């Protein structure tokens, strides 16, 4: 069997108490890794990490890495090492609010 062209690791590192709808968000991330592998370009190779975090953590990351003291929906961090593509960080609360605003579910919003 050939090695996977793309590996995706999905994590929710914040305690559930920091997420208003943590159970719904956990369900929304189920299947995200395999879905990303399916839709990735055929040339995609390496490992990608996706983290679903609290708005509080996202605000801290945005302040640290972009100098902006506000929450944002998504941050991406390209990798500098070979074989690792980088990290994508998604703010769970922002995703929930954006999903509600456009009348679709959180699972769809996280994939968008």
């Amino acid at each position: 069997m050939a090695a996977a062209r793309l590996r995706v690791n999905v994590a929710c590192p914040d305690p559930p108490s920091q997420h208003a709808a943590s159970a719904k968000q956990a369900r929304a991330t189920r299947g995200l890794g395999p879905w990303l592998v399916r839709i990735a370009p055929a040339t995609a190779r390496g490992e990608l990490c996706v983290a679903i975090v609290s708005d509080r953590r996202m605000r801290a990351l945005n302040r640290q890495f972009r100098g902006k003291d506000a929450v944002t929906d998504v941050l991406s961090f390209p990798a500098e090492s070979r074989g690792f593509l980088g990290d994508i960080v998604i703010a769970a609360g922002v995703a929930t609010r954006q999903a509600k605003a456009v009348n679709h579910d959180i699972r769809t919003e996280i994939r968008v």
Side-chain angles (χ1 to χ4, degrees):
M1 179 190 260
R5 61 183 170 91
L6 178 65
R7 292 174 311 284
V8 178
N9 178 33
V10 178
C12 298
D14 291 326
S17 63
Q18 292 186 14
H19 294 267
S22 60
K24 186 184 283 188
Q25 291 160 358
R27 285 190 303 274
T29 62
R30 244 182 254 140
L32 181 59
W35 177 77
L36 286 167
V37 169
R38 270 195 321 279
I39 68 156
T43 56
R45 300 277 185 273
E47 185 172 350
L48 173 69
C49 291
V50 179
I52 313 298
V53 302
S54 67
D55 286 4
R56 181 178 182 172
R57 183 182 299 240
M58 180 62 91
R59 182 177 181 175
L61 289 168
N62 203 24
R63 184 175 40 245
Q64 179 181 353
F65 291 101
R66 297 182 62 227
K68 297 181 185 269
D69 189 20
V71 68
T72 188
D73 55 353
V74 177
L75 289 173
S76 61
F77 300 93
E80 295 179 11
S81 63
R82 189 174 195 114
F84 183 65
L85 300 174
D87 299 308
I88 296 172
V89 184
I90 300 170
V94 174
T96 300
R97 291 187 297 277
Q98 288 176 334
K100 190 174 186 177
V102 294
N103 200 29
H104 60 229
D105 63 20
I106 183 69
R107 181 175 184 220
T108 299
E109 185 63 28
I110 286 175
R111 291 178 180 204
V112 169

